[in-house]
Amino acid sequence: MRNITTVIIGAGQSGLAMSKHLTDYSIDHVLLERGEVANSWQKERWDSLRLLMPNWQSRLPGYVYEGNDPDGYMSMPEIVDYLKRYASLVGAPVQSGTLVTRVCRVDGGYEVTTDRGSWHCRTLVISSGACNIATVPALSANLPRSIVSMTPMEYRNPGQLPDDGVMIVGASATGVQLAREICASGRKVILSAGEHVRVPRVYRGRDIKWWMEVIGAMDVRYDEVDDLERARRLPSLQLIGSPERETIDLNGLRKLGVEIVGRFAGLRDGKAQFSGSLANHCVLADLKMNRLLSSIDAWISANGQDSRFDTPCRYEPTDPGPQTRLSMDLNDGSVKTVIWATGYRPDYTWLDVPVLDRNGRIRHDGGVVQAPGLYVMGLPFMRRRKSSFIDGAGDDAADLAAHLNRSLYRAAA
Ligand SMILES: Cc1cc2nc3c(=O)[nH]c(=O)nc-3n(C[C@H](O)[C@H](O)[C@H](O)COP(=O)(O)OP(=O)(O)OC[C@H]3O[C@@H](n4cnc5c(N)ncnc54)[C@H](O)[C@@H]3O)c2cc1C
């Protein structure tokens, strides 16, 4: 059993940002990583994915993008390289190829069991990711056997799919990107859309991510929002990072030939049933987009900067089509694949400490878990709206490392 002050589980951006701050406090620590640095970006994403935020926004503590394409969007190999360079720059003590199989509470801290021996630590940071498992609705079990059922974590490119139609369930960032790519491969695509968040890629000449930062939306704190539970469950923005800085939304997908249907609500005898709420979801998404654009316009005017940016504009309301169908027979052979772009969740099957709620989520207050010396990083809206993004890891790690340092200091006093 090796002794150390802090174990960090996971060497993605969250674990690395925490490591940097612990090093600054001279707290001895190790990062236990089942794969290599940036494992999730390397192994769990599809081939064509690019980051949704511009390169300049991929900031980490003491590290900024210095390449020649600040407004571009990194591909997966690029973000993996970027994080590996960061790990070596900050000298992160990563023990790769080490799977954590159990964490339990013991005298004076935690025992961390791995497939390469055990560690005893006084404090523990869980930065094992918020997206370890793709969420698939229970009704998927009733799909006809002839249908290939797949998650975005298994999807790499259209070449691995049968030639026939593909139904994609979920119209957030993952779903709309896969719909576009698979449609471009010549396959018929049906996209099932429930609640979604529509935004333009560029507004008044600037990237939407730039605007969200400038107007302060990304820094909103978890103790400032009225309904935190809802804020943490909101779907991701319909965005794609493409060199052309293109906007992706239901109107654009329809023009490419994608058929839009409502939320996948039921499946009986091989017949998929879609909710009739599609039009409402589209109206709501348009309303929210316009509210965001109005906040941007208001910020520009309030700061007397109208002449600096393009003139305001509004976009065509979403038109899901004249007659969206409410059911579809999945036995008729027209669809051979269903991809569940219905979200992700963390995996804590190895965590043997009673800190999970009935949905299997960690109970925490801004990342401070209800167990002495235990912290979590990288969850949606954990301390700020940006918590689960690359750019959010630094501020959260600074706060939590300061808390962790104080707790060690108090214990020693
Ligand atoms: C499809 C997709 C696209 C995204 N696009 C963006 C984007 O464009 N911009 C952005 O800012 N964010 C994006 N995100 C959100 C977020 O930034 C990523 O999920 C990111 O990988 C989270 O970083 P992390 O360090 O918190 O977790 P991860 O990167 O998941 O790192 C966790 C690490 O823990 C390791 N691990 C897990 N369990 C164990 C264990 N038991 N033992 C040892 N090691 C373990 C994993 O191997 C992994 O390396 C995206 C997420 C997804 C799913």
Side-chain angles (χ1 to χ4, degrees):
M1 172 97 72
R2 280 161 287 183
N3 265 299
I4 196 150
T5 304
T6 306
V7 164
I8 300 175
I9 302 176
Q13 72 232 15
S14 301
L16 296 173
M18 178 56 86
S19 172
K20 161 79 169 90
H21 282 288
L22 295 187
T23 300
D24 290 349
Y25 283 113
S26 303
I27 294 172
D28 63 316
H29 64 280
V30 64
L31 293 101
L32 303 180
E33 167 55 57
R34 63 183 170 189
E36 292 174 23
V37 167
N39 190 54
S40 305
W41 294 109
Q42 196 166 23
K43 304 250 180 73
E44 296 172 357
R45 314 280 192 251
W46 57 96
D47 297 346
S48 66
L49 181 65
R50 286 178 174 271
L51 289 190
L52 299 181
M53 43 271 304
N55 294 334
W56 59 264
Q57 208 177 39
S58 294
R59 296 168 290 216
L60 284 162
Y63 191 56
V64 289
Y65 175 83
E66 284 176 339
N68 55 10
D69 187 17
D71 294 322
Y73 310 92
M74 280 185 227
S75 65
M76 292 304 101
E78 286 168 340
I79 183 64
V80 170
D81 274 2
Y82 184 79
L83 290 178
K84 284 190 171 167
R85 256 183 283 128
Y86 183 59
S88 93
L89 182 82
V90 299
V94 180
Q95 189 175 303
S96 50
T98 306
L99 175 71
V100 173
T101 53
R102 184 168 182 246
V103 168
C104 63
R105 186 122 177 76
V106 290
D107 264 357
Y110 296 90
E111 182 177 328
V112 181
T113 311
T114 81
D115 59 353
R116 293 178 62 195
S118 299
W119 294 78
H120 177 276
C121 57
R122 290 160 65 194
T123 54
L124 181 83
V125 180
I126 299 172
S127 51
S128 51
C131 303
N132 307 117
I133 302 173
T135 311
V136 176
L139 55 74
S140 66
N142 301 330
L143 279 179
R145 290 194 172 187
S146 56
I147 302 268
V148 177
S149 175
M150 188 182 270
T151 72
M153 292 177 101
E154 294 156 339
Y155 173 83
R156 288 292 168 273
N157 56 60
Q160 80 195 99
L161 307 178
D163 284 338
D164 314 77
V166 178
M167 182 185 296
I168 297 168
V169 184
S172 296
T174 296
V176 293
Q177 288 188 36
L178 298 196
R180 179 181 167 280
E181 171 165 286
I182 295 168
C183 178
S185 75
R187 289 168 178 81
K188 163 86 182 148
V189 173
I190 295 140
L191 177 64
S192 160
E195 184 184 5
H196 56 274
V197 187
R198 179 186 178 197
V199 287
R201 176 78 264 182
V202 175
Y203 183 63
R204 298 187 70 172
R206 293 300 190 115
D207 195 286
I208 195 72
K209 288 285 184 181
W210 186 82
W211 283 120
M212 291 180 75
E213 177 172 322
V214 163
I215 66 172
M218 301 312 290
D219 283 317
V220 173
R221 287 177 52 90
Y222 75 113
D223 44 12
E224 287 172 352
V225 288
D226 291 337
D227 187 347
L228 182 59
E229 279 309 307
R230 169 141 176 81
R232 285 180 171 159
R233 275 187 285 111
L234 274 185
S236 58
L237 308 184
Q238 287 179 336
L239 273 179
I240 185 168
S242 70
E244 301 78 24
R245 301 171 94 196
E246 79 188 81
T247 291
I248 192 165
D249 59 19
L250 299 187
N251 284 350
L253 289 173
R254 254 192 84 216
K255 279 186 198 133
L256 293 175
V258 173
E259 178 183 347
I260 314 290
V261 295
R263 200 172 62 81
F264 198 144
L267 184 60
R268 189 178 291 173
D269 300 332
K271 260 200 168 174
Q273 283 137 15
F274 308 116
S275 151
S277 59
L278 176 61
N280 283 348
H281 282 310
C282 292
V283 169
L284 269 179
D286 291 348
L287 201 78
K288 281 193 206 148
M289 173 177 69
N290 288 334
R291 214 183 288 153
L292 173 66
L293 303 184
S294 297
S295 311
I296 295 170
D297 295 338
W299 183 92
I300 293 174
S301 296
N303 288 280
Q305 301 208 14
D306 280 276
S307 59
R308 205 181 135 200
F309 301 105
D310 296 351
T311 48
C313 67
R314 291 295 177 266
Y315 300 90
E316 290 255 307
T318 306
D319 175 7
Q323 276 176 334
T324 56
R325 57 172 133 180
L326 294 174
S327 69
M328 184 178 184
D329 191 351
L330 295 176
N331 290 308
D332 72 6
S334 55
V335 163
K336 285 278 169 58
T337 311
V338 173
I339 303 182
W340 303 98
T342 36
Y344 304 87
R345 62 190 164 86
D347 175 14
Y348 299 127
T349 43
W350 43 267
L351 184 59
D352 195 4
V353 183
V355 291
L356 301 183
D357 67 16
R358 62 196 162 84
N359 296 318
R361 309 259 166 190
I362 291 190
R363 286 190 303 269
H364 67 93
D365 180 8
V368 181
V369 183
Q370 292 166 4
L374 187 55
Y375 299 85
V376 63
M377 283 279 299
L379 302 182
F381 222 134
M382 192 188 77
R383 293 186 73 80
R384 302 169 173 85
R385 182 168 281 127
K386 64 183 179 183
S387 286
S388 56
F389 302 118
I390 295 168
D391 187 41
D395 285 350
D396 284 6
D399 293 351
L400 294 180
H403 191 290
L404 187 154
N405 185 48
R406 279 196 304 275
S407 81
L408 290 174
Y409 187 74
R410 267 199 303 270

